[in-house]
Amino acid sequence: MAGKILQYKGKKIEQPNGYRDSIERGIAAVRYFSAGVSYGKGTVEENINKLKAEVNNADAIVIGAGAGMSTAAGFIYTGPRFEKYFLDFSEKYGFDDMYSGGFYPYPKQEIFWAYWARYIYINRYMDTPKYTYQKLYEMVKDKDYFVITTNVDHCFQKAGFDKKRLFYTQGDYGLFQSVNPDIRQTFDNEEWVMKALEAQGFVKNVDGIFEVPRDKAIKMEIPTDLIPKCPVDGSPVTTNLRADDKFVEDDGWHKASEAYSDFLRRHESLHVLYLELGVGSNTPVIIKYPFWQMTASNPKAVYACLNYGEAYCPIDIENQSICIDGDIDEIFDMLK
């Protein structure tokens, strides 16, 4: 997690690393907050009005989004979406959600990549069923904002958010990386995904969306020559998702990390709204805990937590916090 080393006038300097800094803040928060948690003060209506005022009046808004944000937007890994695109896999291999299917030990690479082509397509290149991200964009587009997210579905950029104000810490479904650790680049996979869907027999509807054909004649594998390879050395590739220390932090990742670090530094003593959306307990040290720490260290800051069933804050910052338990998409409608 060390910062990237750059050369400037013959001297080595370390590039700011917002990801590393966030984790350090998160660790500090764990040590500092020990008095228990609060589920906030006031009614939902009162907290909606408070949040409206904060969005309007804050000098800057730092948005931190987790999986719950995309779930609220309709990116659900079970149910109709899963059944529409993965029913054949489910019936043959016995899993009933997309996530489990991503870890299944398929007998052939041709089958593995057929599954992942579908997985990437519907969670990266299709639009969310609801306009949750667009609603958020309309609220903050004229504000001084920055987004940090552990999501890898690219929904913020598709909704219109400025890509220079986005930091995808954990990767992007739309990128591949080589298994060769010496190749520290990522590669766009959109063209490959489309070819892999066509090779399985999916057809585009009038809106240009791939769907299962009427006769349901789709294949569960792709041709061998379509298995993706690294364009640099022909080595196998994998998805650019942070699963271990092999995750590739490419130049774009480092620029986004630096931009996030710089944004926090420039606003650290101002009236900042730390708006947390759907962040669970899997990786709280990246967004949730740092937001707590930065709120506690700045009396002008406000922490807002919007989450379904998990809206809470440390008692230490209860008076600087707004906690709203509910569906994020519905909360955004109330904020209009």
Side-chain angles (χ1 to χ4, degrees):
M1 289 190 300
K4 190 175 183 181
I5 303 300
L6 305 175
Q7 292 282 344
Y8 179 73
K9 294 183 178 180
K11 296 182 179 179
K12 290 183 178 181
I13 57 173
E14 185 175 342
Q15 185 178 17
N17 187 323
Y19 184 71
R20 178 200 59 200
D21 295 344
S22 288
I23 289 178
E24 290 177 352
R25 287 190 179 97
I27 293 172
V30 172
R31 296 168 179 165
Y32 177 79
F33 297 113
S34 58
V37 301
S38 165
Y39 292 93
K41 295 180 176 180
T43 65
V44 171
E45 183 178 359
E46 288 170 341
N47 283 315
I48 289 291
N49 289 329
K50 287 179 184 178
L51 185 53
K52 281 183 184 179
E54 288 301 324
V55 171
N56 290 330
N57 299 323
D59 296 320
I61 302 175
V62 182
I63 299 166
M69 176 68 175
S70 287
T71 299
F75 267 5
I76 299 171
Y77 284 26
T78 58
R81 293 179 76 239
F82 172 76
E83 294 165 3
K84 181 176 181 179
Y85 286 92
F86 298 98
L87 185 61
D88 50 351
F89 276 90
S90 177
E91 291 177 343
K92 183 168 183 177
Y93 296 106
F95 51 79
D96 55 10
D97 68 274
M98 295 179 217
Y99 189 75
S100 297
F103 293 95
Y104 192 89
Y106 298 105
K108 299 167 57 179
Q109 283 291 294
E110 290 85 350
I111 300 174
F112 172 87
W113 283 113
Y115 183 87
W116 270 97
R118 301 185 197 184
Y119 190 110
I120 294 169
Y121 177 69
I122 70 170
N123 293 306
R124 171 64 171 79
Y125 295 110
M126 288 184 70
D127 292 332
T128 54
K130 300 179 184 179
Y131 295 104
T132 313
Y133 281 88
Q134 289 84 351
K135 293 174 185 177
L136 176 62
Y137 176 66
E138 289 301 316
M139 282 190 284
V140 305
K141 66 181 181 180
D142 297 322
K143 302 293 295 184
D144 191 6
Y145 71 84
F146 202 99
V147 176
I148 179 172
T149 181
T150 53
N151 296 342
V152 293
D153 49 28
H154 214 62
C155 288
F156 280 102
Q157 195 162 330
K158 287 191 292 184
F161 286 80
D162 183 351
K163 64 181 181 180
K164 295 180 181 179
R165 293 171 175 261
L166 298 176
F167 182 22
Y168 289 85
T169 66
Q170 309 302 80
D172 183 345
Y173 280 142
L175 299 175
F176 285 149
Q177 65 180 58
S178 173
V179 299
N180 180 349
D182 294 328
I183 299 176
R184 309 303 293 172
Q185 302 175 48
T186 56
F187 311 98
D188 187 273
N189 63 27
E190 182 174 8
E191 182 179 352
W192 174 82
V193 168
M194 303 309 166
K195 289 180 179 178
L197 266 290
E198 289 179 351
Q200 293 176 67
F202 288 87
V203 294
K204 287 186 176 181
N205 62 20
V206 294
D207 297 317
I209 304 299
F210 276 113
E211 291 189 339
V212 177
R214 290 183 179 180
D215 61 6
K216 298 185 178 180
I218 53 175
K219 302 173 184 177
M220 297 172 63
E221 57 184 278
I222 61 173
T224 302
D225 61 4
L226 199 54
I227 294 174
K229 302 291 183 182
C230 173
V232 176
D233 67 349
S235 59
V237 298
T238 186
T239 47
N240 180 233
L241 307 176
R242 190 186 296 277
D244 51 34
D245 59 2
K246 298 181 180 65
F247 174 69
V248 172
E249 298 173 353
D250 62 10
D251 287 342
W253 187 97
H254 281 285
K255 287 179 181 177
S257 178
E258 180 181 14
Y260 180 58
S261 178
D262 180 64
F263 188 89
L264 294 180
R265 178 188 56 78
R266 289 188 289 108
H267 297 88
E268 60 185 358
S269 62
L270 301 179
H271 179 182
V272 180
L273 170 62
Y274 295 101
L275 180 58
E276 180 191 305
L277 305 168
V279 176
S281 56
N282 285 339
T283 53
V285 76
I286 299 173
I287 296 172
K288 183 182 292 291
Y289 294 170
F291 277 19
W292 291 355
Q293 189 274 334
M294 289 185 288
T295 301
S297 64
N298 177 7
K300 297 179 183 178
V302 172
Y303 167 71
C305 179
L306 278 56
N307 210 329
Y308 190 81
E310 294 187 63
Y312 60 90
C313 66
I315 288 178
D316 307 69
I317 59 170
E318 182 182 45
N319 293 329
Q320 289 176 260
S321 299
I322 302 169
C323 298
I324 305 177
D325 185 344
D327 181 283
I328 293 172
D329 188 70
E330 295 176 1
I331 293 171
F332 286 169
D333 286 337
M334 290 187 281
L335 286 167
K336 286 184 179 180

